[in-house]
């Protein structure tokens, strides 16, 4: 960092009923919304400002009912029956948002796809039982299709760290396409480096279920609690996001 440089910290919000959480969470239809992402960026302004989203150098995905926040990849929601796999929200990755699920035969509208920094919204069914919104991240998860009965869950977003091997940065401030030749889980660290050249070292990425991601999904461990200590194994922050910055003497 240069002296006098500003960083902007955006704290993801939990859903507010059907409304998605602050910083990109998708809205549900007659169902709950998805959580917003937490990130640090180089350009301030509204959370959905295009240049602000492109300037993010680290992003922690939010979660949603049915799908914990993702690492390099987000997660598809878990349906109440495998017969309904096609209709739940889908997880994002390093280069694209979660794709829109299949429209259920009796649904009035489908869940929408996730995109860069934004989750998709849940679809509407003909019995007022809609799909959940997706959760946000580097790329957002998709919302679920309108449901037959009950509600299907949304997909979760992906996380990103500039300097973390396996991540894929965008090309430039004016070009949002992923770096050429780079795919999710790549072993080429250059793919991860943000266009600003700001990057982290000694990185560790842990998803919302405690799984450690190098350029692949690894073992599970307890997730640090920003208030101190750790959550129980497989548990995570149940509310608004958090960002903790600690000065390290050198």
């Amino acid at each position: 960092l240069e002296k006098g440089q500003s960083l902007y910290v955006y704290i993801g919000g939990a859903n507010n009923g059907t409304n998605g959480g602050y910083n990109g969470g998708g809205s549900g239809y007659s169902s709950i919304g998805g959580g917003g992402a937490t990130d640090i960026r180089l350009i301030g302004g509204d959370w959905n400002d295009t240049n602000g989203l492109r300037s993010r150098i680290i992003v922690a995905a939010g979660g949603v009912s049915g799908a914990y926040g993702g690492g390099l990849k987000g997660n598809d929601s878990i349906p109440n029956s495998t017969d309904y796999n096609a209709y739940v929200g889908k997880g994002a990755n390093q280069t694209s948002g979660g794709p829109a699920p299949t429209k259920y035969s009796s649904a009035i509208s489908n869940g929408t796809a996730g995109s860069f920094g934004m989750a998709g919204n849940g679809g509407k069914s003909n019995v007022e039982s809609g799909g959940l919104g997706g959760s946000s991240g580097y790329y957002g998860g998709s919302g679920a299709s309108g449901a037959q009965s009950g509600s299907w869950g949304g997909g979760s977003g992906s996380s990103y760290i500039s300097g973390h091997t396996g991540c894929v940065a965008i090309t430039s401030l004016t070009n949002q396409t992923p770096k050429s030749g780079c795919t999710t889980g790549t072993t080429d660290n250059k793919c991860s480096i943000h266009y600003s050249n700001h990057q982290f070292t000694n990185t560790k990425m842990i998803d919302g279920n405690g799984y450690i991601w190098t350029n692949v999904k690894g073992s599970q461990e307890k997730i640090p609690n920003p208030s101190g200590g750790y959550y129980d194994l497989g548990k995570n922050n149940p509310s608004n996001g958090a960002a903790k910055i600690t000065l390290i003497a050198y």
Side-chain angles (χ1 to χ4, degrees):
L1 299 176
E2 297 179 356
K3 182 178 179 180
Q5 182 176 3
S6 296
L7 297 175
Y8 301 87
V9 184
Y10 287 69
I11 304 300
N15 68 291
N16 180 14
T18 60
N19 296 320
Y22 176 74
N23 206 15
S27 296
Y29 185 88
S30 299
S31 301
I32 63 173
T38 294
D39 67 68
I40 298 177
R41 56 185 76 178
L42 306 177
I43 297 174
D46 293 338
W47 74 265
N48 57 350
D49 175 76
T50 298
N51 288 341
L53 289 173
R54 292 173 177 174
S55 75
R56 296 174 298 169
I57 56 176
I58 185 170
V59 185
V64 62
S65 179
Y68 53 85
L72 294 181
K73 298 178 181 179
N75 298 280
D76 297 350
S77 186
I78 302 173
N80 52 11
S81 167
T82 56
D83 294 337
Y84 300 135
N85 278 333
Y87 313 117
V88 299
K90 310 299 180 182
N93 57 39
Q94 292 296 299
T95 59
S96 62
T102 300
K103 181 177 176 290
Y104 188 71
S105 58
S106 63
I108 294 173
S109 64
N110 194 21
T112 60
S115 59
F116 189 69
M118 302 180 191
N121 299 321
K124 178 182 179 181
S125 79
N126 61 351
V127 291
E128 297 300 318
S129 182
L132 275 68
S135 72
S136 185
Y138 186 45
Y139 286 84
S142 64
S145 176
Q148 178 186 28
S149 62
S151 297
W152 289 316
S156 66
S158 56
S159 296
Y160 167 79
I161 307 172
S162 177
H164 184 86
T165 303
C167 291
V168 179
I170 62 172
T171 301
S172 70
L173 179 61
T174 57
N175 185 352
Q176 195 171 290
T177 59
K179 283 189 174 181
S180 178
C182 299
T183 58
T184 302
T186 176
T187 58
D188 184 357
N189 183 263
K190 294 191 296 293
C191 287
S192 74
I193 307 301
H194 190 259
Y195 64 78
S196 66
N197 205 37
H198 288 81
Q199 57 190 281
F200 296 88
T201 58
N202 300 321
T203 60
K204 189 173 187 178
M205 180 183 286
I206 309 173
D207 68 23
N209 204 26
Y211 286 97
I212 302 169
W213 288 78
T214 53
N215 69 310
V216 295
K217 186 177 180 178
S219 59
Q220 188 183 33
E221 66 174 39
K222 292 182 178 180
I223 298 173
N225 185 328
S227 299
Y230 295 84
Y231 295 106
D232 292 338
L233 189 66
K235 304 295 183 181
N236 53 46
N237 182 8
S239 185
N240 296 323
K244 186 174 182 178
I245 302 173
T246 304
L247 177 64
I248 301 174
Y250 62 93

